[in-house]
Amino acid sequence: MITIKSEREIELMRDAGALTARVLDMLEEEIKPGMTTLRLDELAEQFIRDHNAVPSFLNYVPKGEVGVTPYPATLCVSINEEVVHGVPSAKRIIQDGDIVSVDCGVYKSGYHGDAARTFVMGAVDPEVRLLVERTKECLYLGIAQAVTGNRLHDISAAIEQHARSFGYSVIENMVGHGIGSELHEDPAVPNYGRPHTGVKLRQGMTLAIEPMIALGRSRRAVSKRRAWVAVTEDGKPCSHCEHTIVVRDGEAEILTK
Ligand code: MF3
Ligand code: CO
């Protein structure tokens, strides 16, 4: 069921979204080669708790799945061929030349914010740098479609078309999602699809839009048994970015700017 949020609820989501963005701003300043991904996680958790909020991902259990371990961290930090859900670790040191997707969720006053950015560390291959830039363009082109009068897959199609125009591959088995008092709500927001299809977008729908775009040919992100991290099938790098938005008349409102 897709819920439409009242302006009062959106006000609270603006708060959660703003804090999510501030965590990523802080991490953008701190992140550098030589740092462990666990250190990033500690900084994020402390920052969130200092602002009277709770990390959304910590102890998260995907709905309807049995036997999975609750997510053990505040952030997902996914490097190079890792698409999403990289678990921060004291053993994982960020290297010069890496691209690092940092995904953060914040729960505040009963609502979630969810956002991700991919950071480029030093001497990254120019082709990979372009992938990161264009994935961000995909996100903004998707957001531009999140207006009343359009349908859900207008967002998806805009993302896919831009990615394909460069010969990139769209990860199909990981999707964006509705968001609100739950981290993951209906509808699923795929990063591919046909224009003018899917549910009608309505003012007050809140969505987390998150393109995952890869070099090479991988159409799926795959995980080893019981591992959280999901990687491209061919080991090629993948970029990921995400905003929480509100569908509006005329122009979507970004809550995690
Ligand atoms: N932004 C990701 C998502 O919306 C991160 C979820 S991590 C999890 O799916 F631990 F919460 F699963
Ligand atoms: Co998300």
Side-chain angles (χ1 to χ4, degrees), residues 67-83:
V68 290
T69 53
Y71 191 75
T74 291
L75 300 176
C76 299
V77 183
S78 310
I79 301 179
N80 299 334
E81 78 284 1
E82 297 173 352
V83 178

Side-chain angles (χ1 to χ4, degrees), residues 122-182:
V124 168
D125 186 316
E127 192 190 8
V128 178
R129 227 172 239 279
L130 277 174
L131 171 74
V132 173
E133 270 317 301
R134 289 161 173 171
T135 302
K136 202 159 121 190
E137 291 168 9
C138 285
L139 172 60
Y140 280 90
L141 288 166
I143 293 170
Q145 296 296 319
V147 294
T148 50
N150 279 353
R151 288 178 182 265
L152 183 66
H153 298 161
D154 288 316
I155 299 171
S156 315
I159 292 169
E160 178 179 20
Q161 277 172 25
H162 195 61
R164 296 233 185 277
S165 74
F166 302 107
Y168 297 150
S169 146
V170 174
I171 302 297
E172 295 174 358
N173 64 328
M174 302 279 180
V175 294
H177 48 95
I179 179 168
S181 57
E182 304 281 340

